Structures are given as structure tokens and as C-alpha cells.
Amino acid sequence: MTLAITNSSIFECETGNYHTFCPISCVSWLYQKIEDSFFLVIGTKTCGYFLQNAMGVMIFAEPRYAMAELEEGDISAQLNDYEELKRLCLQIKKDRKPGVIFWIGTCTTEIIKMDLEGIGPQLEADIQIPIIVARANGLDYAFTQGEDTVLAAMAHRCPNTIQCSKQSKYNTKRLIIFGSLPETVVKQLNHELQQQNIHVTGWLPCSRYSELPVIQSGDYVIGVNPFLSRTATTLMRRRKAKLISAPFPIGPDGTKAWIYKICNVFNITPKGLEQREKTIWNNLEQYLQLIQGKSVFFMGDNLLEISLARFLIRCGMIVYEIGIPYMDKRYQSAEIQLLTDTCKKMKVNMPKIVEKPDNYNQLDRIRDLQPDLVITGMAHANPLEARGINTKWSVEFTFAQIHGFTNAQDILELITKPLRRNTSIHNGDNIYIKS
Amino acid sequence: MKLAYWMYAGPAHIGTLRIASSFNNVHAIMHAPLGDDYFNVMRSMLERDRHFTPVTASIVDRHVLARGSQEKVINNIIKKDKEEKPDLVVLTPTCTSSILQEDLQNFVQRASIETTSDVILADVNHYRVNELQASDRTLAQIVAFYINKINNKQKSDLKKTVKPSVNIIGMLSLGFHHQHDLVDLKRMFNDLDIEINQVIPDNASIQDLYNLPKAWFNCIPYREAGLSTAQLLADKFNMPYVDIAPMGLSNIKTFVCRIQSILAMLGCHRNYEKYVELQTKYMSQAAWFSRSIDCQNLTDKTAIVFGDATHAAAMTKILVREMGVHVLWSGTYCINDRQWFTSEVENLCSKVLITDDHNIVGDMIANSEPNAIFGTQMERHIGKRLNIPCGVISSPVHIQNFPLSYKPFLGYEGTNQIADLIYNSFTLGMEDHLLDLFGGHDTIDAVTNTLSSDNLVTWSPEALQELTKIPGFVRGKVKRNTEKFAIAQGYHVISLEVMYEAKENVKT
């Protein structure tokens, strides 16, 4: 652990006036991931309006999510929370027959101090459906951290004894990976580890609630995403699991480091890993030519920023600033170390990491720096484009498949899209707003 | 608590933000938790705005919960005042801040001591009004704020314009085709030889509000935003207003007549009869179109209408009176305007539906099986599931409904646009006949999905094959009718024979 880095002046913290998605947006990908789930967001019209608009067409496909919309009587406690939630959950049980109901607490339930964690177990016994409570609210968290709160709550529900002991033929050490990824990416990462003779015991979450992995004291756990620090903490403290601290499997460099670290812990000498990484880099050659020497600015909104910046620096880009909503220096320590090493290797300065950024100040800096690419939210993309600055929507990185060796190309596909678009269309300068 | 999947009108603060961001150089500061500034995304994406949306948040976080906002809101207002130099800052409460019950009015007063801009607190209750009501109130509030600033001396200077003039009130950002409607309204007033005094709030400056009383009268094209402002101006300055949406030929005629009588009342006698006649005959193709032979096929076609009060009422009128379409029922989600809406459409259709629950709307559509739907994006998706075509006539909408090309719903060009929309929503004319004659042109196996997907009966392969030959737009209906018939008769398998039998027995 290099304390020198954590203490260095590369970390800054601004006002926290930045644009990001509300963490309840995690229901949009988690309900698809956990097939027998139902997500009930207990909040107001504001929450509902956000989900309705942010989820776009998904909303029309009868999603397994709904709002428990609080009315004036709920706020002023004229109505009984328990009875109200029971009524709604019974209706959900009747209409949808879910295997588990998630209650997503919001800002409003926080402020009126609705005791969801207290009511949950009571109602669970009453209606015979597991109820998991996650407080994914905008008072405490940003965007992808919503998933973190849900997975941390789920970690408590993982069974702790193996019913039919199916001993692994590969190794005696058990490995559970946490982080929600599309099923194809799960298969890809399982396969990568299989190549190293490592058998993945289970994933948190998995596609059905009833198949949650067993987690015993002493099991190894590793994260796939940089925003899962609460889940990691819960697994360590409450489930007594051992956390493997590694960079995240984003980009071929990250993926190699991730697998390498697991092999290390399992006392396995990795086979053909270097070669595998090299092949992937070779395949990326045409993209690399496009972006080498180009500069990029992360405004920060989804916590993937450090890993993406590290990968892009390795690709030969210059990163001016890494904005990030929240920086867990312990959980991300290995990733920060890899970022530092990458900067040294590529002979570039370590970029400034700005926690809780101020978008107004950032726009000022963007105006001065004129980066080749700004990775930003949708609120700023069109206005920046109109000022002649290339942008890429940051949310796309949350929904695209970006993990493992196989998907490195997808990241660069996204990154180069605005640059490729610019070479194919020629607009006069007059479409831009001069500022 | 209410179980809700979808809502027609957004939360109150969206209405306030739509007003504030429509004005020129007005900045809104939301007292809201992280992530509530989703409005900026919608404006930047749907309207493809080239400018940064003038909305920022004064973030409510854990610390604010513990200690109160203290100086935070005030500092944010002052900071924005220095950075952007707006004329007006609108402090916007959200659902979160309204239960914190902080004294926001106090923050506003304290901040305004140090700012060069004016500061007001939007006066909307989150749990009692929706987006549309809030936009109406906020607009009236801002207008009232500046009208009250006019002192007596200025009042005596406020003379009416020499020529007849009008204020157009209620053109908003994120409004359904508002930008296109505005162009056509301007053209119409130009034709009527009436000057446009002010258009608010779209692109208007705060200073322009002082000039509002100079107009002879006010025009409120949409009931949802502007009525309160018109009422306010009527009370304060005795200004008459026209609250008719000039959508469809008969509405336009009433609209112009009303203007004519208002002008007469104010001592300017004009006769617009000739104008209306010429426009109806030549500028608008809609009147001729509904007489043309192709439109004969519209006779006895059925439709349903659902949307905001303005658009749904006008559309119902157009379909029934101008196109001869049979409207089975018409409805709105503007529950607060139920009386007006009911009185507008009750003589045009047999049933009026007032609800903001999309499930009720969906069930009603499934039961009435119209040939076409005219509604919001939600009804479009209901239509997709039921295989019924849908024309979108009202918010809520998405990016498709912010077209680049000129597509007004108001005015004479609007009538052309609507006629196209209606015509294209039905499969008509020769196509209709030929499809019937030759058993459809799609022979893909995919059979219509229905809402009633209970598996009480199964289809034999031959019958299923036959079903695919039925034209797409009636296939769903035939399938459902046949299934109903089979269940009633106690058949478990629908064979070709059962299908024929059903056809012979079921009246469509």
C-alpha cells in the first residue's frame, strides 16, 4: 500500500454541485439482471418522473418495477406505513408473483424517517415473500452507488452453509465475484478464470434470487466494479469474507491485473496471460491510432472514471482531469496504484482527481483546456457540442459491456465514436456558439 | 400510497422549471437532492438545446438534513447572481424540500439584499399540484411580481398600442409542438393585421413583462399554461382574453370571431369573414380533403382520443365534426379541468373519460377496439400491443415528438398537418380493399399478441395459418373474437371450421 499516493496532492474536492443520475436508476438494470425480482421504489412523483424518463422505452415493456407513490397522508403520518406497504405488496404478489421484492428507500423516506428496515422483516413474515431494503437515495449517493446499496443489502441474504457439499475439483478456496453484469459478460469472465484453473463459486447478484451464492467465513470475494465499496465492506465485516483488492477488469490491462491478482491469492502461476493481453492490444491497433495523443476530460458521474482513465492513458491518451462523485481510496487502492504505474510507464503526469466536482468550475476549465473529448452527462453534452467540444455520454459506459478482454474493443468503440463522426462530417464553424 | 408505473403529468417543480427556463436570462435554483436536476437532461436532449439549461441545484444532502441549509441556499443564489448575472432567480422547491419545511422565503429575502437580480420563491405545493398546474401558477406569479412593480406614474404611461395588438401567453420549453405553433400563430395574427405585443414566457425578457398591458387583448392557446396569467391581467388592467385553441377549422373560426368581437368592443371594427372563408378554402386543404373521395372511407371508422385538455378536446372536435370519424370516447388526464373538458366533448362522443391512470385508459382501449387511437406516447404503446395505429397528439412525449420539420398543430397549416396525421393513422382506400381481397401481404408466422393471453383455447396449425392471412390491422380483433366465441361454445381447439363458424356468428 503506497501511502505516498493517498496523501499526495492529486486529490481535490469541490462543492458537489454536479449533475448525475439519481441512484434509484439502478432498478433499471437490476430488475433485468435478477429475473424473479420486483423493485418497489418508495418515493414521490419526482422519483417516478425520473425513472419514467430515464428508462425510456423500457417503461412500456411491463417492467418489474413500480413506484409506491407517497401521498400527503403518508407524509403527515395519517396513514399507517405498514398497512399501506402491505396493501401494495400483496397486490404485487398477486399480479406478478415475484421471488423477492426490493424496497428502494428514497430521499423522502429518509426525511420522514420511515422505518423500512423495521417494517420489512415483519411484512416478509406476513406475506411470505423475501423483502430486501436498500436505501438508494440522492441525499447520500450518486448514480451507480445505488447498485452498491442493493448488493450490500443482498449480501446479508446469501446463505452461509452449503446444503449439498459439491466440492470443487479445481481448488479448495472459494471465490465469489460481486457486481451486476450482463449474463454474457459473466460467462466471459468465468471462462477467463477457468483458463487459469480457477473455478468461480458464485456471483452476487445472480440471475435468480433463489440461487444466491453461499458465502462462508474465509471465502474470497472480489469486485468487478469500482463503485461497490459498501458491498465489499459488508462482505468483509458481516460475512467475514476476504476481499481481494485488485484493479477492475476494465480494459485489457485492468483485466490482466485483475486475473493476475486472483491467481496470486490462489497460488497459481498464470498461464498465457501476457500473451492474451498482447493479442487484445494488437486487435485494438486501429482504434489506438485514432486516439493517441488526444486529450480527454472526465466530468465525473458514475464512479467508473478512474478505471476508464487508467485504460485510456495506457491507450496513449492524455487525461486532464478525472472528476468522480465519490472516491473510496481503500477499495480503489489497487486501481489507483495501477493508474500511477500506468502514468509512469506512459511518461505522462498523474491527472488531477476531483471528488464531488463543481460542474460550473469544470466548464470553465474545459473552456481553457479545450480537450479533444469530454466524457459527461447528457445535460452538458449538446451545449458542449454546440461550442465545438466533442463529448461522449458517460451513462453509456454504465450500460455497455466494458468488462474483460473481450469487451475492450467496445470501450474504444464508444470513445472513438465522436472522433470518427468528426472525420466523416464537415460542418462550417458557424454552427458553433462562440463563447 | 399509490402503486404507479407511469404518470401523465410530472411533478410540480418541472412546471416551474419549464417556465423559468423559457424566459431569457432567468435562472432557477432547485432546493433538491443530488440527481433531481434531471430536467436539464430532458431539455438538452428533447429540445436539443445548444445552451446550458439555466437550472442549478442547491444540493440537499445529509448535512442539510442534520443542520438545515443555513447559508447554503443563500450562497448558491449569490454565487449564481455573480456568475450569470440573471435578471431573476427563481428558487424552486422540490418534494424533498417541501417536507423539510425550511423557511425558503426567508432565504429569498436575505439573498435578495446582496443580489443585483430579483429573487422569488416559486409558490407551488408538491403534493397538491402537478407539472401543468404549477407552470400555470409560476407564470402568473412571475407576471404578478413585475406587474406589481409598475408604479402609478408608469401606469399612466402605459398606453395601448396604436394598432390592435395581442400578447401570446403560454409558449413553453418542452411544450408539445409549441415552437411550430408559435410560428403559425404569428402568421395568423399578421394576416389579421394584429400586432404581436409580447410572447411569454418563450424567449421573453423580464423587462418585456412591464409592456404586457400595452396589448389590446391576450391570447391563451393552451389552457394548461396561461389561464391564471390572463385572469390576472383581466383583473388588473381589464384586458380581455381569448382562451380558445385555434386547432382545427371550426375552432379557428370561433377563435377569429371572438377576436373580431373583442376588437369591436374596443372600438375597432373589422370583418374577418372573408379571410376565414379564403383560408378555409385555399390555405387549409383539410376542408377539401375531408370532402375528397378517398376520405369517404373514413365514414364509420372508429377512434378514441386521450391527452391534455386542450389537445384532446380540439382533436375530438376535428375527428367528429370535420372528418366524420366516429369517436367512441374522449378523455383527458387534466383532472382539475374536468368540467370544461366534459362540456366541450360530451355532445361529440358517447363517453367521457377523466383519469390519470394509464391502466384504465389501456383497458378502455382494449375493450372498445377502435380503428385508431389519438393520444400520448403511452397510448401509442398501448396501440402497439393491441395492433391499433396511433397518432400522438399531446404530451407526455419523447424525442420523436420534437421534429425538426415544421409541424404546427395550431392555425391553418396546423389543420393540414392534423389531416395528414389522421389519414395516415388509418389504413385506407384501395389498400384496405386489396388487403381484404388478397388476404393481406404479410405471410410471416408471427401472429398478433393480445392482451388476453390466457391459454384456454389453442389454435390448430391450419387455423393459425389462416389467421396470418388476415390483414394485420384487424387480425387482433378477429383473433380475440374467435377465441371469445370458442370459449363461449366450449371448444378447446380452434380449427378452421370453428374459425369459419365464429366468423358467421360473431358480429363485428
Side-chain angles (χ1 to χ4, degrees):
Chain A
M1 184 83 182
T2 45
L3 282 168
I5 290 163
T6 37
N7 290 334
S8 81
S9 59
I10 53 160
F11 292 103
E12 280 180 26
C13 188
E14 284 191 305
T15 62
N17 275 325
Y18 64 100
H19 166 77
T20 183
F21 273 14
C22 174
I24 59 171
S25 52
C26 68
V27 308
S28 66
W29 64 87
L30 287 176
Y31 92 76
Q32 289 182 324
K33 172 72 192 181
I34 308 165
E35 288 162 8
D36 55 350
S37 64
F38 191 95
F39 284 80
L40 185 66
V41 182
I42 304 160
T44 60
K45 257 184 182 312
T46 306
C47 315
Y49 196 65
F50 163 69
L51 280 178
Q52 172 172 324
N53 286 293
M55 287 163 76
V57 285
M58 276 198 270
I59 217 85
F60 300 109
E62 299 240 338
R64 292 185 316 280
Y65 106 87
M67 291 292 309
E69 196 184 306
L70 299 169
E71 292 166 299
E72 213 165 359
D74 298 301
I75 305 296
S76 54
Q78 285 168 333
L79 298 167
N80 180 300
D81 299 338
Y82 183 83
E83 290 304 325
E84 291 295 301
L85 282 167
K86 185 176 173 184
R87 185 169 55 83
L88 300 194
C89 288
L90 281 174
Q91 196 182 331
I92 292 165
K93 183 182 175 182
K94 185 173 136 255
D95 295 348
R96 303 296 186 91
K97 302 179 184 64
V100 55
I101 297 178
F102 287 89
W103 285 355
I104 305 295
T106 62
C107 302
T108 312
T109 56
E110 286 298 306
I111 296 171
I112 63 173
K113 298 193 169 34
M114 192 182 278
D115 183 19
L116 296 178
E117 278 93 348
I119 301 173
Q122 228 178 317
L123 193 58
E124 180 173 315
D126 218 0
I127 67 168
Q128 297 295 311
I129 290 184
I131 291 172
I132 298 181
V133 180
R135 302 179 181 197
N137 62 69
L139 294 168
D140 301 304
Y141 306 110
F143 197 11
T144 49
Q145 286 181 293
E147 176 181 320
D148 194 21
T149 62
V150 173
L151 297 194
M154 280 181 90
H156 290 285
R157 300 299 182 107
C158 293
N160 49 14
T161 44
I162 307 169
Q163 269 125 20
C164 52
S165 64
K166 200 170 65 182
Q167 275 299 326
S168 162
K169 57 185 172 184
Y170 298 96
N171 48 278
T172 48
K173 286 174 183 158
R174 293 162 42 86
L175 176 70
I176 292 109
I177 304 177
F178 58 94
S180 168
L181 293 179
E183 224 34 46
T184 44
V185 183
V186 167
K187 284 204 189 98
Q188 287 162 0
L189 288 179
N190 279 347
H191 180 73
E192 293 296 347
L193 290 170
Q194 201 92 49
Q195 300 295 305
Q196 306 297 339
N197 256 337
I198 295 167
H199 172 72
V200 179
T201 315
W203 282 74
L204 171 71
C206 42
S207 52
R208 299 193 72 80
Y209 174 74
S210 48
E211 290 159 12
L212 272 181
V214 172
I215 301 179
Q216 294 167 309
S217 140
D219 284 353
Y220 284 95
V221 292
I222 188 165
V224 283
N225 270 322
F227 45 77
L228 298 172
S229 49
R230 281 177 73 87
T231 310
T233 313
T234 309
L235 289 169
M236 281 191 294
R237 294 202 186 142
R238 307 299 294 270
R239 306 309 305 259
K240 308 288 176 221
K242 291 183 204 154
L243 177 71
I244 303 174
S245 175
F248 301 100
I250 293 168
D253 48 343
T255 309
K256 185 191 80 176
W258 187 75
I259 296 172
Y260 188 85
K261 202 65 191 283
I262 299 172
C263 290
N264 213 358
V265 170
F266 281 59
N267 283 324
I268 290 169
T269 318
K271 282 181 305 199
L273 201 51
E274 298 287 340
Q275 189 50 47
R276 179 111 171 85
E277 189 199 1
K278 214 168 167 186
T279 319
I280 299 292
W281 282 116
N282 287 341
N283 293 342
L284 297 178
E285 197 46 45
Q286 49 159 339
Y287 294 101
L288 297 183
Q289 278 171 8
L290 269 172
I291 56 173
Q292 259 154 16
K294 296 247 164 58
S295 56
V296 59
F297 189 110
F298 286 88
M299 286 188 78
D301 74 345
N302 60 13
L303 285 94
L304 293 171
E305 291 88 0
I306 305 271
S307 311
L308 286 173
R310 175 260 303 153
F311 168 54
L312 293 183
I313 291 171
R314 178 66 183 76
C315 290
M317 290 187 93
I318 297 150
V319 176
Y320 285 148
E321 175 168 331
I322 308 175
I324 187 167
Y326 168 72
M327 182 70 236
D328 186 330
K329 288 173 196 161
R330 277 181 61 197
Y331 177 62
Q332 293 224 42
S333 59
E335 183 63 85
I336 294 169
Q337 186 59 55
L338 182 58
L339 172 68
T340 318
D341 296 346
T342 305
C343 286
K344 265 185 213 147
K345 185 176 177 185
M346 301 305 291
K347 296 190 178 64
V348 292
N349 286 331
M350 182 80 175
K352 188 166 68 156
I353 296 171
V354 182
E355 199 180 352
K356 294 174 130 213
D358 184 304
N359 280 166
Y360 187 85
N361 299 343
Q362 285 186 314
L363 291 173
D364 241 8
R365 297 197 284 271
I366 288 169
R367 217 168 286 138
D368 291 342
L369 294 163
Q370 294 286 315
D372 294 308
L373 182 66
V374 174
I375 295 174
T376 181
M378 291 190 267
H380 295 120
N382 265 338
L384 281 171
E385 291 281 349
R387 282 157 184 78
I389 302 229
N390 296 319
T391 60
K392 190 71 211 152
W393 294 339
S394 49
V395 281
E396 289 191 67
F397 295 99
T398 332
F399 297 117
Q401 307 193 344
I402 60 169
H403 291 79
F405 288 125
T406 323
N407 299 310
Q409 193 177 334
D410 290 40
I411 308 176
L412 291 187
E413 186 74 23
L414 288 175
I415 291 287
T416 55
K417 195 168 259 175
L419 305 168
R420 282 180 285 132
R421 193 260 323 252
N422 283 0
T423 51
S424 57
I425 59 172
H426 298 279
N427 275 317
D429 275 346
N430 54 351
I431 62 158
Y432 300 132
I433 290 165
K434 300 282 178 219
S435 50
Chain B
M1 274 179 220
K2 201 168 87 182
L3 201 59
Y5 299 87
W6 165 271
M7 63 185 99
Y8 284 102
H13 71 269
I14 299 287
T16 298
L17 297 180
R18 283 178 61 194
I19 295 292
S21 63
S22 300
F23 276 110
N24 204 353
N25 209 27
V26 170
H27 202 99
I29 294 185
M30 301 165 69
H31 189 234
L34 196 64
D36 271 6
D37 58 353
Y38 191 72
F39 177 77
N40 297 32
V41 173
M42 292 181 61
R43 220 176 102 111
S44 177
M45 296 305 299
L46 297 178
E47 296 222 311
R48 302 176 195 89
D49 200 329
R50 295 177 203 211
H51 295 279
F52 293 100
T53 307
V55 174
T56 42
S58 173
I59 304 284
V60 175
D61 58 13
R62 223 8 104 170
H63 300 291
V64 170
L65 227 54
R67 313 175 284 134
S69 291
Q70 297 187 339
E71 303 297 308
K72 198 173 186 180
V73 175
I74 298 169
N75 290 342
N76 275 317
I77 295 174
I78 294 169
K79 183 173 175 242
K80 206 36 79 180
D81 179 56
K82 292 212 174 75
E83 286 168 357
E84 310 261 313
K85 300 180 182 58
D87 295 318
L88 170 70
V89 174
V90 181
L91 182 60
T92 310
T94 58
C95 57
T96 309
S97 71
S98 72
I99 38 175
L100 285 176
Q101 299 197 325
E102 287 194 279
D103 190 356
L104 296 178
Q105 189 59 53
N106 179 308
F107 294 156
V108 163
Q109 267 153 12
R110 282 165 60 200
S112 59
I113 298 168
E114 288 188 49
T115 55
T116 43
S117 55
D118 297 315
V119 189
I120 63 172
L121 171 67
D123 179 23
V124 287
N125 181 324
H126 256 267
Y127 295 91
R128 297 199 181 156
V129 294
N130 65 23
E131 169 189 354
L132 303 174
Q133 293 161 290
S135 65
D136 188 50
R137 282 175 192 219
T138 305
L139 184 58
Q141 195 193 350
I142 294 176
V143 170
F145 182 79
Y146 285 97
I147 290 294
N148 288 336
K149 277 188 162 192
I150 301 177
N151 56 37
N152 285 333
K153 191 195 156 292
Q154 283 168 317
K155 226 174 220 170
S156 57
D157 292 342
L158 278 176
K159 293 204 182 75
K160 295 286 172 206
T161 52
V162 180
K163 275 178 74 179
S165 63
V166 63
N167 297 320
I168 301 175
I169 298 176
M171 313 307 292
L172 308 195
S173 73
L174 291 173
F176 182 72
H177 292 246
H178 279 203
Q179 291 308 318
H180 308 288
D181 285 349
L182 181 59
V183 175
D184 219 64
L185 276 177
K186 280 182 171 170
R187 183 162 74 182
M188 192 146 71
F189 281 118
N190 184 48
D191 290 347
L192 296 172
D193 197 24
I194 292 172
E195 285 176 354
I196 310 281
N197 183 53
Q198 302 294 337
V199 178
I200 63 165
D202 179 66
N203 245 328
S205 295
I206 288 304
Q207 286 75 21
D208 296 338
L209 297 178
Y210 294 119
N211 295 324
L212 283 176
K214 288 182 180 170
W216 289 34
F217 69 102
N218 292 317
C219 163
I220 288 70
Y222 317 106
R223 303 183 59 72
E224 287 73 25
L227 267 185
S228 298
T229 310
Q231 197 55 53
L232 173 91
L233 293 168
D235 293 345
K236 286 253 177 195
F237 300 96
N238 216 5
M239 291 175 82
Y241 63 85
V242 190
D243 60 350
I244 299 160
M247 180 172 156
L249 289 169
S250 68
N251 261 10
I252 297 176
K253 196 172 175 183
T254 330
F255 176 82
V256 174
C257 278
R258 179 78 68 83
I259 291 172
Q260 188 176 315
S261 65
I262 285 176
L263 292 184
M265 199 175 72
L266 297 170
C268 172
H269 296 278
R270 297 251 177 101
N271 189 347
Y272 290 132
E273 227 166 85
K274 197 84 191 155
Y275 166 77
V276 172
E277 198 189 308
L278 278 173
Q279 292 286 316
T280 307
K281 249 186 191 160
Y282 300 111
M283 188 53 218
S284 167
Q285 302 291 316
W288 157 239
F289 178 73
S290 56
R291 286 281 167 283
S292 68
I293 190 68
D294 211 18
C295 266
Q296 257 183 23
N297 291 304
L298 280 176
T299 320
D300 295 333
K301 291 275 178 188
T302 56
I304 67 97
V305 182
F306 194 81
D308 64 21
T310 301
H311 289 91
M315 197 64 193
T316 309
K317 260 185 217 173
I318 295 169
L319 285 167
V320 175
R321 292 220 188 114
E322 296 172 26
M323 294 289 189
V325 173
H326 182 43
V327 173
L328 300 170
W329 53 268
S330 169
T332 182
Y333 57 83
C334 296
I335 294 174
N336 57 307
D337 213 6
R338 79 166 62 220
Q339 233 174 357
W340 177 84
F341 184 80
T342 309
S343 69
E344 283 290 297
V345 302
E346 64 187 345
N347 296 324
L348 303 172
C349 54
S350 45
K351 197 170 159 46
V352 181
L353 178 68
I354 314 268
T355 183
D356 58 358
D357 182 343
H358 77 274
N359 287 313
I360 295 177
V361 178
D363 287 348
M364 286 271 291
I365 294 174
N367 284 331
S368 39
E369 293 182 355
N371 296 116
I373 303 168
F374 297 95
T376 72
Q377 277 296 336
M378 192 43 163
E379 283 68 50
R380 194 172 76 87
H381 284 269
I382 294 170
K384 258 188 182 171
R385 270 190 287 162
L386 295 166
N387 242 335
I388 302 170
C390 176
V392 176
I393 56 145
S394 158
S395 301
V397 289
H398 56 58
I399 196 145
Q400 290 174 339
N401 306 105
F402 290 86
L404 302 178
S405 56
Y406 180 50
K407 288 193 165 141
F409 272 68
L410 303 187
Y412 286 107
E413 182 53 36
T415 61
N416 294 337
Q417 149 76 11
I418 293 169
D420 277 342
L421 182 76
I422 294 172
Y423 181 72
N424 293 336
S425 297
F426 294 102
T427 314
L428 277 181
M430 287 308 277
E431 194 183 359
D432 199 336
H433 290 298
L434 291 175
L435 284 172
D436 254 354
L437 226 57
F438 298 112
H441 45 48
D442 53 341
T443 43
I444 327 150
D445 284 343
V447 174
T448 332
N449 32 350
T450 57
L451 278 187
S452 58
S453 57
D454 39 8
N455 295 322
L456 288 170
V457 283
T458 49
W459 288 71
S460 76
E462 297 85 355
L464 212 52
Q465 184 67 36
E466 187 67 18
L467 192 62
T468 59
K469 287 184 189 156
I470 293 166
F473 54 94
V474 286
R475 195 185 297 145
K477 197 169 179 175
V478 170
K479 186 173 181 228
R480 278 189 295 279
N481 281 340
T482 314
E483 280 172 356
K484 263 188 234 161
F485 174 78
I487 291 165
Q489 299 293 316
Y491 295 124
H492 295 290
V493 178
I494 297 175
S495 60
L496 271 180
E497 284 79 2
V498 176
M499 220 177 148
Y500 296 145
E501 202 183 327
K503 197 182 173 194
E504 284 155 17
N505 285 284
V506 176
K507 286 191 185 75
T508 49

